[in-house]
Amino acid sequence: MTGSSPAPEATSITGTAQALLGRHAEQTGLLVASAVAPQSFARSLGPRSMADQAVVTGIVTVLSYATTVATQDALASLVSALPFTGGSADERSQLLYVNAAAIPLGLGLAQALPVHADEHALRSVLRQAAWRSAVTGLGGVLVLGGDWLAESVDRRLGAGGRLSRLPWAVPIGVLVAAGIEWERRRGVDDEGPVSPAPGVAVALGSLGAGLGVTGAVAALAVGEAHLASTLGAALADRLPGSRLTWRLAGHAAVLSVVGGLTSVVWDRAMQRIENVTTTLDPVFEGGEDSSLVMSTCSGSDDSLVAWEGMGREGRRHVLTTVRAQPWAQRPAGLPDLSIPTVTGMPAVADPVEVYVGLDNAPSPKTRAELALAEMDRTAAWERSLIMLVSPTGTGYVNYCAVAAAQ
């Protein structure tokens, strides 16, 4: 008797399914990037120039797209391990199940890992990965739903598949963003106008910047997907494993390169900012020097902290410190803001101000040790109130808050 092996009831993922999963990952990335892009226009402490806004929006959308595509490919790798009975309906249903399951699982894990002070980096990475999985799962479900709706309308209108081929992920993402913004504004008081109504030139410039960012994101999206697919195909031809699995490795490689380049650009930008903060910027007309600083302040002739290393904001801060007695020899144009003049009461003691700049010591540890030594010198430990201030990135300290406390 002759026989033949029965046809398997389920087969491994097909090339068509892999193409579907790859396209789905890119569409999900576009949806999430489109949803988060409007949030980058939220107001901050200061106004942004058109160029700054374009950079901020570009970074937010590019990172959202890249991380979402990589996460969706990771979820799709789970789908690739599942058996298929054949047909796009089964492929999409499997993909829908995995994405839907990622939403509660990701949210649950993120809630189980709340932010703790001094937490381990691994905990933070796990929480972010869980949150990204939930967001990606939601985006994947919305993309599949949009595809199903577009195909239904396409069949009804007899459009021959033209409607279903449109990138519906972008308008869906914009609708999601509108819903998020509406929900956010429900519990927020009227913030008032950000600025006067923009003119035609400003509106056109903003529109051009927005289109430029959109075009850049689209180009980066295509380039990233092409590089990841090319690397995945090359590795799959030489190493065991599916193209989808190696496509995920391609994403990791591309994102690593992008992350390295971003780190280099960021470091150079921070160096430029730090160089600006060390530039001499006279506070008073006629210049400035350490002889104008009180002996109880850093940077004075008696201080352990060198005047030259305090940076622009540090020098500005100690020069404008509140004084215990009226300053008769103060530079021209500087009002008398001494304690007796402002409060009408005598000062208890000369205020102590300890400020250590980046160039005053080579490392955070040695800068902290220098600050402690400066507090020993000024007998700061004998005061009833010690005020610890964290400066901004440029080294600026809110002198109004410090002066009020003094």
Side-chain angles (χ1 to χ4, degrees):
M1 181 177 68
T2 61
S4 61
S5 301
E9 296 181 358
T11 59
S12 61
I13 189 168
T14 62
T16 303
Q18 292 201 31
L20 168 68
L21 297 177
R23 178 182 178 276
H24 177 76
E26 294 157 11
Q27 290 294 310
T28 305
L30 284 175
L31 188 149
V32 174
S34 301
V36 302
Q39 300 176 36
S40 66
F41 289 87
R43 72 172 69 200
S44 57
L45 294 178
R48 301 190 192 105
S49 67
M50 187 172 61
D52 289 342
Q53 183 61 63
V55 170
V56 170
T57 304
I59 290 175
V60 168
T61 51
V62 168
L63 289 178
S64 297
Y65 173 84
T67 54
T68 301
V69 171
T71 306
Q72 184 59 232
D73 274 347
L75 295 176
S77 65
L78 298 176
V79 178
S80 66
L82 299 175
F84 285 85
T85 59
S88 60
D90 185 60
E91 295 159 359
R92 291 187 178 182
S93 63
Q94 297 278 24
L95 190 58
L96 177 62
Y97 298 151
V98 171
N99 277 275
I103 301 174
L105 291 176
L107 291 177
L109 181 57
Q111 292 294 326
L113 297 172
V115 178
H116 288 169
D118 300 325
E119 66 180 10
H120 196 278
L122 180 59
R123 180 188 179 91
S124 177
V125 169
L126 288 175
R127 182 173 57 252
Q128 292 300 322
W131 172 248
R132 177 56 56 184
S133 297
V135 171
T136 302
L138 177 59
V141 171
L142 292 175
V143 167
L144 288 171
D147 286 344
W148 175 82
L149 181 61
E151 289 174 1
S152 299
V153 175
D154 193 284
R155 285 193 299 269
R156 284 179 174 271
L157 298 179
R162 288 187 292 272
L163 283 178
S164 59
R165 287 194 293 269
L166 294 176
W168 291 106
V170 174
I172 295 174
V174 172
L175 289 176
V176 172
I180 294 173
E181 180 64 12
W182 178 79
E183 180 65 25
R184 184 188 72 84
R185 288 182 175 274
R186 285 181 59 191
V188 178
D189 296 333
D190 184 15
E191 299 176 349
V194 177
S195 60
V200 176
V202 176
L204 291 177
S206 299
L207 178 61
L211 292 175
V213 169
T214 303
V217 171
L220 287 171
V222 173
E224 194 276 340
H226 178 72
L227 283 175
S229 298
T230 302
L231 286 173
L235 291 172
D237 291 340
R238 294 168 174 80
L239 298 172
S242 67
R243 289 199 174 193
L244 185 60
T245 302
W246 287 115
R247 174 183 153 96
L248 182 60
H251 281 303
V254 173
L255 291 177
S256 297
V257 173
V258 172
L261 293 176
T262 302
S263 177
V264 171
V265 172
W266 178 263
D267 288 341
R268 291 188 177 181
M270 290 301 101
Q271 289 174 6
R272 289 182 60 186
I273 292 175
E274 292 172 3
N275 289 337
V276 171
T277 63
T278 59
T279 302
L280 287 175
D281 180 21
V283 179
F284 309 125
E285 293 183 2
E288 57 187 58
D289 58 66
S290 58
S291 64
L292 300 176
V293 183
M294 295 192 306
S295 62
T296 54
C297 296
S298 296
S300 66
D301 293 338
D302 299 328
S303 175
L304 302 176
V305 180
W307 168 262
E308 294 77 13
M310 293 178 63
R312 180 186 63 192
E313 297 300 338
R315 294 191 293 265
R316 187 195 304 273
H317 189 64
V318 296
L319 280 171
T320 56
T321 186
V322 171
R323 294 176 179 263
Q325 301 297 330
W327 190 7
Q329 292 78 28
R330 66 184 183 276
L334 181 69
D336 181 11
L337 299 178
S338 63
I339 293 175
T341 302
V342 174
T343 66
M345 296 182 293
V348 175
D350 288 326
V352 173
E353 284 193 6
V354 174
Y355 189 106
V356 178
L358 285 175
D359 293 335
N360 285 127
S363 67
K365 182 176 185 297
T366 53
R367 287 193 289 270
E369 292 173 346
L370 179 58
L372 294 176
E374 183 75 346
M375 293 183 73
D376 290 339
R377 180 190 72 83
T378 56
W381 308 108
E382 300 176 4
R383 304 300 174 93
S384 61
L385 174 64
I386 295 178
M387 184 177 182
L388 181 64
V389 180
S390 178
T392 65
T394 61
Y396 169 78
V397 175
N398 188 334
Y399 63 90
C400 296
V402 175
Q406 292 169 342

